[in-house]
Amino acid sequence: MCASSILSLNMGMNLLFLLPASISLTSIISGIIGGSIGILFGLLVIFQSLLSIFFYGVVGGLMGTMLGAVIKNPSLCSLPTVNINMVEQNTIIFSLFGSILIVLTTGLLWYSLIKQEQMGESSAYVSL
């Protein structure tokens, strides 16, 4: 669940930074892509958890879009407005932080899959 949320959050934030479209259109696109990420990760584990991981992917995408909107325009949350140089600096810092989170999450997933394989456990927990 964590992996789909982190990937969707970073994707939604960077999508808002890159697309000049409106926030509502970017939110819809982020929700759809985040849900797709959630479905892909949900298919890796128990089939019954697919809906909850899909939900976490959609929520992560929408939260990333909201976070990106606040970074671009701090006055949305009644934060003091800063000059344009600070907005660009914050955009770079948060994008770099999101990239580091993705690398850490991917590394932890890879490590857990390797450990699981070494222990001889199955990677799919499908119950009949």
Side-chain angles (χ1 to χ4, degrees):
M1 288 186 239
C2 178
S4 67
S5 297
I6 295 293
L7 290 172
S8 299
L9 181 119
N10 193 37
M11 180 271 320
M13 181 178 61
N14 287 326
L15 202 64
L16 187 75
F17 292 155
L18 296 174
L19 291 179
S22 66
I23 293 176
S24 59
L25 179 64
T26 308
S27 296
I28 292 170
I29 293 170
S30 295
I32 291 170
I33 296 174
S36 301
I37 291 171
I39 288 173
L40 290 175
F41 276 100
L43 291 174
L44 292 175
V45 287
I46 303 171
F47 187 72
Q48 288 83 5
S49 66
L50 180 68
L51 185 60
S52 66
I53 297 176
F54 168 76
F55 174 73
Y56 283 109
V58 171
V59 169
L62 295 176
M63 284 188 334
T65 305
M66 290 184 273
L67 179 64
V70 171
I71 291 169
K72 284 176 72 173
N73 186 5
S75 64
L76 289 175
C77 291
S78 301
L79 296 172
T81 308
V82 294
N83 59 11
I84 192 67
N85 294 331
M86 289 298 292
V87 171
E88 291 175 1
Q89 181 182 1
N90 288 340
T91 302
I92 292 170
I93 289 171
F94 276 96
S95 295
L96 182 63
F97 178 69
S99 298
I100 291 170
L101 275 179
I102 285 180
V103 168
L104 288 174
T105 303
T106 305
L108 288 173
L109 281 173
W110 180 74
Y111 177 74
S112 69
L113 287 174
I114 294 297
K115 279 296 189 184
Q116 188 176 22
E117 184 179 309
Q118 288 175 354
M119 294 176 68
E121 296 177 5
S122 171
S123 61
Y125 298 107
V126 178
S127 59
L128 299 175

